[in-house]
Amino acid sequence: MTRASALAEEAMKKTPGIKGKLTCLALLLCLAAGGVGLAIWVRSKVRSDLYGDPLPEGAIGRLGTVRFRHPSIGRIAFAPDGKILASASPNGVGGCLWDAATGRPLYRLSLPDGDVSSLRFSHDGKTLVAGGSLGFILADVATGKEIRRLAKRDVAFSRDGNLVSAEISLVSGELLWDVTTDGQRRRLAGLKGLDTGIGLDTGIGFSADGKLFASRRDDTIQFWDVITGQQVRQFTFDHKVTGFSFAPIALAPDGNIVASIGNAEIRLWDVGTGKLLFELEGDDATCTTLAFSLGGKRLASGGASGTVRVWDLSTGKELSRWHVPANGYRSLSSLAFSPDGKVLASVGSNESAIRRWNPTTGKEIDPIVGHTGRVSSLRFAPDGKSLTSFGPDWNVVEWDLVTQRARGGLFCEPLGSTAVGWQKCGAELSPNGNAVAYRRSESDPFVYLWDTVNAKEFGKIAANDRRSEFDEQLELPRFSADGSHLALCTSDSIRLVELETGKEVCRLGGGWPVAFSPDGKLLASAGEVPGNRVSDGGTLPVRLWNAATGKELQSWENKGTYWLVFSPDGKALFAVDGSKSGRLLDTVSGKEILRFEGQFRINSLAFSPSGRMLATSGQISWDLANRDYKRTAVIQLWDVFSGKEIRKIESPQGAVTALAFTPDGRTLASGGADTTILLWDVSGQLK
């Protein structure tokens, strides 16, 4: 049986009614010869992806999965019964309640803008509180609906189930809290004159008997009498050695033990006596997160190097250790034990995927296939039957568009450094998806070339970074359209290097972004002109160069440029000259052809193969109330000849960070911040 026929049979099983099943059956033979477009059409009629999750309106396919996926997850927590897992993301991205067994999203949560410092279930599991410095929401776990909002700094649940919210009084510098049962505001002594909450992380939790409330200020953990508000105990630890302003601390679920980080070890204290119980050896790099098991018998620690360690708290011995693979961001931001202790969930800094592990063996449960973070590059094969994707997680994935499954994924672990992320070092996927150019770290003197097919390094080019006391510049790579040359760019210079020989062809004036024309003969750049810097009142012109000789051909004045892309015939250049607007420029005459005025900040863009249509992506931020945001990604399709919008697509991907058309121009792929790639039918858009 072919993959196409298997796909059709799957469609028959999921399509209700006799008529629908007969339609799918009639397509079995057509699928074998009809190729990708027809296969995608069949799946679109099923209106679900490979995992049975519904597709958004207008989408005809999804590469990857929405299960345990949400943009830029910052905190995770299990419900007391272990059936639900909650996640929360900062900066208004929101949160989600998941089926802990399957990863199916149950409810989406709208959260206040800003950071996410707390994510907690009530002890009966019926209520969730989530939020940070700009406020919190209380949500009904059974329905996902918001109960009310709290404009407080931090929150916790007491042992009897009452909600306690703590806030900083900006006038007096005192810490106050509210208990929902009586609405009283109690003052915690000893914090008068506090610098408006700077250096304070409140709401750690309660002691086992509910009589003490734990908070934190700088390098001190303080315990307060719930009734009198008096401080009764404190522990001091050295957070300066961690390299973070706030080293992670955690209170055991029974409230009897508190864990802190200091001097590269984990310290465990007895809350009742104040006695130091253990000093556990810390991670090789900075420890960034801690989590107790429900019974308090085990402690998990996660580090900046991506290492997870699990400890037996009765003996202080390490039980297991493993490294989280395919994590280009490396640093772990949150860990959570399931109530039965059989699952340890983790999420990396800025990642969009929750991973689950057996804490005894360190083996991953349902290993991830695809990306763990946003998708930043998309490349279709010339025959349109496969798609290669790449992202800051250093994962290169080839997708079969007939089956919509990953043919294979290559995690380029050697590409990343433990301390420096993709955003700083720069990485570029070649047009055919067979190579990646990258920097290992800011201090590395080479730009490396990685073969994504054979998983090995095949070359390196000496970097030539121009650095000064005030301006540290790394050369960022950009491939030519045929993959034969590489542009290495700083604000001061652009070096064109031939990959086969490693020789420098020419050197141009600096700038970023840069773009090669499809035939590789032209290169466009945007950046400051020597002697006319922006700081001195200068502009950031867009300049057009002869890529062979380095001669400047055209120049256009511009206030700022975020994106540059050539039309397929190379006769026009689209420059995003502001967060929402762009210009179409004639590369021969230098004249402005058309100006596009968009409604949203442009995150990515792509021309259709015919050059008639331009796709851009942006984001709507709906201000619901009191700085509470709901963000929706938007894709706009434009008629290049008229500059008019011809279609608007709302995508549930959080943000659309990459766009690409199939070679026939009938399908548009959008890569999202939620790790997924959606396929949209755009045929017939231009009449």
Side-chain angles (χ1 to χ4, degrees), residues 390-426:
F390 179 61
D393 59 359
W394 300 109
N395 209 358
V396 180
V397 183
E398 184 183 18
W399 303 90
D400 185 317
L401 294 183
V402 175
T403 65
Q404 297 186 26
R405 298 182 184 274
R407 284 181 177 171
L410 169 67
F411 171 59
C412 307
E413 175 118 17
L415 307 190
S417 99
T418 58
V420 182
W422 171 88
Q423 292 89 340
K424 279 192 175 183
C425 295

Side-chain angles (χ1 to χ4, degrees), residues 3 157 172 379 406 444 478 552 565 588 594 630 634 641:
R3 288 179 293 185
F157 287 99
S172 64
R379 304 283 191 271
D444 198 300
R478 179 72 76 198
E552 184 174 331
V565 61
V588 178
L594 207 60
K630 177 184 178 182
V634 176
F641 291 169

